[in-house]
Amino acid sequence: MSLSCCMERSHLPMMRHQLVLRLMAAAQASAAADADTRDSSEVGSARESDSNIRRISSQRSQRANSSSDSGAGAVGGSGPSPSHKQLHQQYQLEMRDWFSMQYKQCRASASLLPLPGSQLLAYTPDQQQQQLPPHLMCYTPSLRQAGGLHRMALRGHLGPIRSVVITRDGKDVLTASDDGGVQVWDMDIGDCILQLQVPQQLTAQPFPGSPTGLPGAGGGNKSPVPLTALAVTADGGCCLSGDAEGWLNCWNLKTGQLVHRVRAHRGRLNALEVDSSGSRCITGGQDRTAKLWSLPAATPSINRSMSLQGVLPAASPLNPAATASGSLIGILQLEFELTGHGLEHADTGAVLDVAISSDGVLGVTVSDDMKVKVWDLDQQMCVQTCRGHSGWVVSAQFIGNTHNFVTASHDETAQAWDAWTGECLGTLIGHSGRLNAVQASADGRVIVTVSDDMTARVWESMDFTCIGVLTGHTGWINNVALLRNGRQCVTVSGDGTARVWDTNSGKCLQILEGHSGDVTCVVLTNRGRFAVTGSVDGTAQVWDLSAQDVSSLNVHQGKVISVVACPDGSHAASVGADGCIRLWDLLTGRCISTTTAHASAVPQCLHLVKDGSRAFSGAGDRRLVSLDMQTGIPSVCLPAKQGSRTRFIHVSADGSAAVVLLFDSSMAVYDTASGELRCHLMQRGDRDAQRVHSGGVNAVYLTADGSRAVSVSKDYTARVWDSFNGACLMVLK
């Protein structure tokens, strides 16, 4: 679970420090309560634990103070302060140390604190030593990721997510959105550790070459500019983002500072690719050009007075010394402008995608002019122009470590090319809709294309034959990601799902459901265990592809509405929106029984009787089901009935009676043993203020023995009823 999300980074150390202190205070109180029941030796051990907790708390306070002092000194120029990521890692280490100490203390006292419900079992002395005390320990250890495939949701963007990337070490996820911001997330706990937003004064500054004082798009109060492209350098130290107005931004991921901003294209920046060495990148724009940029060899140190949101220090490009390009620090240098698209027709030529070979020697640009151009990046010249497509060429990818590449087009085909000769090696025909993306595996063995025809196709890279058709999506497929060995791939679709496929058999291995909108992008970690998907719903979802799909397990298919547990802690019952009531063994975590008594209506409540022997579940069709909490055997107390839907059901603590409130404000009390009607407290159409409520009834409750009922109403009164004869005994105003 995330401890904080999308919080301003400068406040995180202080808030987390407060959280740790509160957790430690709770641990001290728990240790003190446990110490009262122990002998003198155990009390001494508890005091030693408390002393350790206070020592860690004191050390953390000292570190926080010293960090604060050093940070202040950094601003004043007296010394460096730790980076935000260092503070975050320090916090994680201290929390881990604290939890480890608590774990050892719990293990030491395990024999003195048996689990709730353990009196029901006959443990041997050796088994008692293996028991875990209730605090901080899970009753049911599990090697499976909680939640199955779905690991976490990354929420914080205010607009659709268009691009997702993962750093090479797999520790951070970066998302770019239409809200104009890049957010950096911790892959372990889901925290948003950095928010990268271009300052307002930069988004409102004039474009180079525009009339003086004319802002980029409408003045200083303009809405955020949507981001269109995102990339990270190989060392993970630099992030590049492009937007719909053609600006290219360079961020230092170690400090969260905006270190360079340049107007790369006069129009939308459509594509961005960084080479494998992290020394150069290519951008492609709507202005019919692509540009080759040199990146810094190492990210320079940045003035610590710049905030996380990219606010400029005193020496900024807004002063006269700044360059005309609007850059903060002159580290991005334009090496070469790649022109040549759209020469035949003035309304075509936008560069839609770019690709760089694995050795960084060649680059490829594709365009809506239906042409593909190959560039020698060292000689800075166009070496081939490939013609053959009859529609927009929207995607390009080099095949493995070779200089062969494949392109995807709206003409429903993909084509493979030799980059040096420009020869078409093969045409991949089979789709019945325009292609949206193409990907080749890192080993160059297979190629996958995705299309508007709701299918993906797997192709052999040697002879370019189709070896599999991946069918199952109910919407167009936007993108695809391949494992390095090409054995599996993940596709994302307009149907709001992602699917994991076996490329050899064409079988769908898993369906990743969790987004509420069109899934636009997907990326995999290096080893292919985790996938991250981005959607127009503004969230990114992290999936553990090696986890078991909980939909195949004996669990609720949908949200859990209510859960109750026996007083002895042995069993629990849950009712879900799937209409099922499930009984669970709390010591093993196993589902004992499942009943579909509410298959015709969604359950609304679950009540446990005082002795814990039975649980009652009520649904909107007035059906009331009793569940034996030891065997899981259900019995129907009240059958389903026609008429107004159920608004509220309550069962007495002894389980002898149940009261049902309908949306028409009628109330009736039933005997749960026989299912017979005891009495009507109020019937449909009754509005006699002397005898019944004069307004709608919100809820009704039974006393523990079921002899009295209390109702609350919109007429600002509560009434006490005799649940046997239906007489109103008292009006509470």
Side-chain angles (χ1 to χ4, degrees):
M1 178 180 287
S2 173
L3 295 175
S4 65
C5 185
C6 304
M7 190 179 297
E8 190 166 327
R9 186 62 180 159
S10 59
H11 294 166
L12 281 176
M14 177 183 67
M15 297 192 69
R16 286 175 171 162
H17 176 52
Q18 294 174 352
L19 176 60
V20 171
L21 293 180
R22 290 180 182 178
L23 290 173
M24 291 179 177
Q28 293 179 35
S30 176
D34 295 340
D36 293 340
T37 61
R38 302 174 185 168
D39 56 22
S40 58
S41 63
E42 294 299 332
V43 170
S45 176
R47 287 174 179 171
E48 181 181 355
S49 176
D50 291 346
S51 176
N52 292 335
I53 293 175
R54 295 190 186 97
R55 176 175 54 81
I56 287 182
S57 177
S58 175
Q59 291 175 352
R60 177 161 181 83
S61 298
Q62 292 174 2
R63 290 194 199 101
N65 293 335
S66 64
S67 297
S68 176
D69 294 342
S70 63
V75 173
S78 60
S81 73
S83 69
H84 298 288
K85 184 165 286 190
Q86 289 173 336
L87 292 174
H88 186 67
Q89 293 172 348
Q90 176 184 341
Y91 156 77
Q92 288 183 294
L93 291 174
E94 292 179 357
M95 283 294 292
R96 191 176 296 120
D97 292 343
W98 174 78
F99 184 85
S100 176
M101 183 183 64
Q102 289 296 303
Y103 183 93
K104 292 178 181 178
Q105 182 64 24
C106 290
R107 295 287 299 185
S109 60
S111 60
L112 300 177
L113 296 174
L115 287 172
S118 59
Q119 64 270 19
L120 301 178
L121 304 175
Y123 289 109
T124 65
D126 292 338
Q127 289 174 330
Q128 290 179 357
Q129 292 296 327
Q130 298 300 320
Q131 293 185 63
L132 299 178
H135 55 292
L136 294 179
M137 297 294 110
C138 296
Y139 288 147
T140 310
S142 174
L143 298 178
R144 188 178 71 250
Q145 170 66 43
L149 292 173
H150 187 259
R151 185 178 185 188
M152 66 183 75
L154 310 178
R155 296 184 174 90
H157 281 295
L158 302 178
I161 294 178
R162 301 301 181 184
S163 183
V164 177
V165 297
I166 299 178
T167 55
R168 182 168 293 185
D169 58 11
K171 295 181 179 179
D172 298 325
V173 178
L174 288 82
T175 55
S177 168
D178 281 0
D179 62 12
V182 176
Q183 296 194 8
V184 185
W185 310 83
D186 187 298
M187 270 285 285
D188 292 330
I189 58 177
D191 271 3
C192 178
I193 58 177
L194 283 177
Q195 294 184 17
L196 311 177
Q197 191 84 32
V198 176
Q200 183 70 27
Q201 62 264 41
L202 284 185
T203 60
Q205 66 177 307
F207 290 157
S210 64
T212 305
L214 179 63
N221 295 324
K222 56 182 289 189
S223 59
V225 180
L227 296 183
T228 57
L230 184 66
V232 177
T233 55
D235 61 0
C238 178
C239 164
L240 298 170
S241 65
D243 64 31
E245 292 183 350
W247 289 93
L248 178 63
N249 304 306
C250 180
W251 304 86
N252 184 333
L253 289 181
K254 292 179 170 54
T255 61
Q257 307 304 321
L258 177 61
V259 296
H260 195 115
R261 176 174 167 83
V262 61
R263 183 82 190 281
H265 296 277
R266 292 184 176 276
R268 178 186 175 94
L269 193 152
N270 293 322
L272 172 62
E273 179 84 5
V274 178
D275 68 3
S276 58
S277 66
S279 61
R280 293 189 293 188
C281 73
I282 297 180
T283 60
Q286 201 72 17
D287 59 359
R288 302 189 290 179
T289 68
K291 295 182 180 181
L292 178 66
W293 306 84
S294 63
L295 300 177
T299 304
S301 59
I302 306 301
N303 191 325
R304 295 287 299 174
S305 64
M306 192 182 296
S307 77
L308 291 179
Q309 305 303 320
V311 176
L312 302 176
S316 74
L318 299 183
N319 63 37
T323 63
S325 66
S327 61
L328 300 187
I329 299 177
I331 58 173
L332 279 176
Q333 296 181 357
L334 178 62
E335 289 190 10
F336 178 52
E337 183 171 327
L338 291 63
T339 60
H341 285 291
L343 297 180
E344 298 176 1
H345 301 281
D347 56 347
T348 63
V351 178
L352 303 180
D353 196 19
V354 297
I356 301 177
S357 62
S358 60
D359 57 8
V361 173
L362 296 178
V364 169
T365 58
V366 298
S367 170
D368 61 4
D369 64 1
M370 301 179 288
K371 296 183 181 62
V372 180
K373 286 186 174 290
V374 183
W375 307 86
D376 187 323
L377 301 183
D378 293 330
Q379 300 298 322
Q380 299 182 357
M381 59 181 294
C382 178
V383 294
Q384 289 294 338
T385 298
C386 305
R387 295 176 175 86
H389 284 294
S390 59
W392 289 13
V393 189
V394 295
S395 181
Q397 178 79 30
F398 276 92
I399 302 174
N401 295 323
T402 70
H403 284 166
N404 297 333
F405 65 94
V406 60
T407 56
S409 171
H410 282 181
D411 63 7
E412 303 179 1
T413 69
Q415 293 188 357
W417 309 85
D418 184 304
W420 288 110
T421 65
E423 177 188 0
C424 179
L425 304 177
T427 301
L428 288 58
I429 302 175
H431 284 287
S432 59
R434 66 182 187 181
L435 272 61
N436 295 318
V438 60
Q439 285 289 327
S441 60
D443 61 4
R445 187 176 64 88
V446 297
I447 300 168
V448 178
T449 55
V450 297
S451 169
D452 278 357
D453 64 6
M454 299 183 290
T455 69
R457 287 179 176 261
V458 184
W459 310 82
E460 174 62 53
S461 63
M462 297 298 295
D463 54 9
F464 306 108
T465 57
C466 181
I467 59 176
V469 181
L470 312 180
T471 59
H473 280 294
T474 58
W476 61 88
I477 303 179
N478 290 314
N479 215 328
V480 61
L482 271 163
L483 268 66
R484 296 184 64 84
N485 57 17
R487 295 177 181 175
Q488 292 182 9
C489 69
V490 180
T491 56
V492 294
S493 169
D495 62 11
T497 68
R499 288 176 179 254
V500 184
W501 308 86
D502 186 312
T503 57
N504 292 322
S505 65
K507 180 182 178 181
C508 179
L509 303 178
Q510 295 164 334
I511 301 177
L512 311 180
E513 298 178 299
H515 287 292
S516 60
D518 184 353
V519 188
T520 57
C521 49
V522 60
V523 65
L524 299 175
T525 53
N526 281 335
R527 296 185 178 181
R529 175 176 177 179
F530 297 106
V532 183
T533 56
S535 169
V536 297
D537 63 10
T539 69
Q541 309 281 352
V542 182
W543 311 89
D544 187 346
L545 302 185
S546 66
Q548 187 175 6
D549 187 356
V550 296
S551 63
S552 64
L553 304 177
N554 193 13
V555 296
H556 287 290
Q557 303 303 312
K559 69 178 181 180
V560 178
I561 294 175
S562 183
V563 61
V564 294
C566 293
D568 60 10
S570 60
H571 297 86
S574 61
V575 62
D578 56 2
C580 295
I581 307 174
R582 299 180 184 271
L583 183 66
W584 307 86
D585 186 325
L586 292 182
L587 298 180
T588 64
R590 185 172 59 89
C591 180
I592 299 175
S593 68
T594 301
T595 176
T596 56
H598 292 302
S600 60
V602 177
Q604 292 184 330
C605 60
L606 189 63
H607 297 286
L608 185 72
V609 299
K610 188 175 182 180
D611 61 6
S613 61
R614 290 182 298 163
F616 291 88
S617 174
D621 59 1
R622 287 186 258 181
R623 183 189 299 268
L624 186 67
V625 176
S626 173
L627 183 73
D628 189 301
M629 290 294 288
Q630 297 300 321
T631 64
I633 299 175
S635 60
V636 178
C637 300
L638 301 177
K641 296 182 180 180
Q642 299 292 328
S644 181
R645 292 178 296 111
T646 304
R647 178 169 185 170
F648 192 83
I649 295 179
H650 189 257
V651 180
S652 61
D654 61 3
S656 62
V659 61
V660 178
L661 168 66
L662 305 182
F663 271 95
D664 60 12
S665 294
S666 60
M667 298 180 289
V669 182
Y670 296 87
D671 186 285
T672 58
S674 63
E676 296 181 355
L677 174 67
R678 278 193 186 180
C679 65
H680 286 287
L681 304 181
M682 184 171 170
Q683 298 191 53
R684 183 171 178 264
D686 286 344
R687 288 296 186 272
D688 184 357
Q690 300 298 322
R691 186 175 58 86
V692 297
H693 288 291
S694 60
V697 181
N698 295 321
V700 59
Y701 302 90
L702 289 170
T703 56
D705 59 2
S707 62
R708 298 288 187 270
V710 180
S711 60
V712 292
S713 169
K714 292 182 174 66
D715 63 5
Y716 306 107
T717 67
R719 287 179 179 262
V720 181
W721 310 81
D722 186 313
S723 63
F724 288 96
N725 57 28
C728 180
L729 306 178
M730 188 181 304
V731 180
L732 308 176
K733 297 183 179 180

